[in-house]
Amino acid sequence: MPSQLSLVPPTAARRPVPPALVVVAHGSRDPRALSTVRALLDRVREQRPGLPVHLGHIELNAPLLPDTLAALGDTEAVLVPLLLSRGYHVKQDIPEMAAAARARTRVAAPLGPHPLLVDALQSRLTEAGWGRTPNSTSAVVLAAAGSRDPDAKRDTARTAHLLAARLGVPVLPAYASAATPTVQSAVRTLLARGRRHIALSSYFTAPGRFATECTRSAPWIAASPLGTHPAMAQLLLHRYDEALATSPAARELASA
């Protein structure tokens, strides 16, 4: 009689483990942020069973990214920033932490701009009551965290442009800190243009101080942060796949 081991297909036993996906969140003192991010990672695991998925924070929350990378040893990992635009964290903090680790890492692009984010933003606006007023009197303020990096502002403006094309109304980007205009200033601009129904689109990955402050300035409806929207999990996996496909090894394979 054959042994039980012989019943296991040889290919299944030798199936390689894919490089780990390390989702890099900023970190927040608001406990809702950590619970939201953990729930989002559960969605990623549901969409891609068998993929090792880990969490690392830049600051404020455990596990910190260096600790997550240390636990991975010298294995392969793709770091996907749970950030919506380029800026200091994407350009400096994350690459420096990756370079200091033993793990063989590559850093993916931030989540935005991307049409999947527009899907999530539109969905959150709809949940808040968007679509109940004529387009001729409606507009949106896209409220983001803000950064001194001009690339971050360009990325947010690109998302605003994509959302405006999707909704058919003006969408003005605004910022909670480090950049202008503020939400209040953007609202005044739209009111001066005759837009009476101004919705706030919360361009934040999770609840937190900035998202809460921006919501308080909403003159009409305010959408929830992107959170665990299915498009967010899909986009994290897309950035992971994209980083793998553009690695030097993948390019060599494609040209062979």
Side-chain angles (χ1 to χ4, degrees):
M1 178 181 292
S3 68
Q4 291 296 317
L5 288 175
S6 66
L7 299 178
V8 179
T11 53
R14 294 195 302 268
R15 185 174 298 154
V17 177
L21 163 58
V22 178
V23 176
V24 185
H26 182 276
S28 172
R29 292 185 177 87
D30 190 319
R32 296 174 299 168
L34 181 56
S35 61
T36 299
V37 172
R38 284 175 171 163
L40 176 59
L41 265 63
D42 287 340
R43 279 190 175 269
V44 172
R45 294 183 182 104
E46 289 169 4
Q47 289 193 22
R48 189 77 60 90
L51 174 64
V53 179
H54 304 275
L55 173 62
H57 291 92
I58 297 169
E59 59 182 355
L60 299 175
N61 292 122
L64 292 172
L65 179 58
D67 297 330
T68 297
L69 294 177
L72 291 175
D74 61 356
T75 59
E76 286 189 87
V78 177
L79 280 56
V80 181
L82 187 61
L83 301 169
L84 300 173
S85 62
R86 292 168 291 174
Y88 188 82
H89 294 312
V90 170
K91 294 179 179 180
Q92 298 292 329
D93 286 336
I94 297 175
E96 287 175 2
M97 292 178 192
R102 287 178 58 220
R104 290 168 285 145
T105 62
R106 65 200 78 181
V107 180
L111 300 188
H114 195 276
L116 282 169
L117 286 176
V118 180
D119 292 346
L121 291 167
Q122 182 181 21
S123 178
R124 292 299 189 220
L125 282 167
T126 301
E127 292 167 1
W130 179 261
R132 297 175 185 170
T133 58
N135 279 9
S136 59
T137 62
S138 301
V140 173
V141 172
L142 182 68
S147 170
R148 292 182 179 87
D149 190 309
D151 284 336
K153 196 166 185 177
R154 279 191 282 269
D155 289 345
T156 304
R158 174 62 180 159
T159 298
H161 176 77
L162 292 172
L163 185 59
R166 179 75 62 87
L167 299 177
V169 301
V171 177
L172 293 188
Y175 304 95
S177 70
T180 56
T182 64
V183 171
Q184 296 94 328
S185 177
V187 168
R188 287 194 295 270
T189 297
L190 290 168
L191 286 171
R193 297 179 186 176
R195 300 285 169 165
R196 299 191 303 277
H197 300 96
I198 302 170
L200 184 130
S201 182
S202 191
Y203 199 39
F204 299 94
T205 56
R209 178 169 67 90
F210 284 160
T212 301
E213 289 174 356
C214 290
T215 296
R216 291 196 190 110
S217 300
W220 182 42
I221 59 172
S224 299
L226 298 161
T228 60
H229 191 279
M232 292 292 286
Q234 188 179 347
L235 184 51
L236 284 167
L237 287 168
H238 170 72
R239 291 302 192 206
Y240 169 86
D241 293 336
E242 189 177 58
L244 285 180
T246 56
S247 69
R251 285 196 296 269
E252 286 174 16
L253 215 67
S255 61

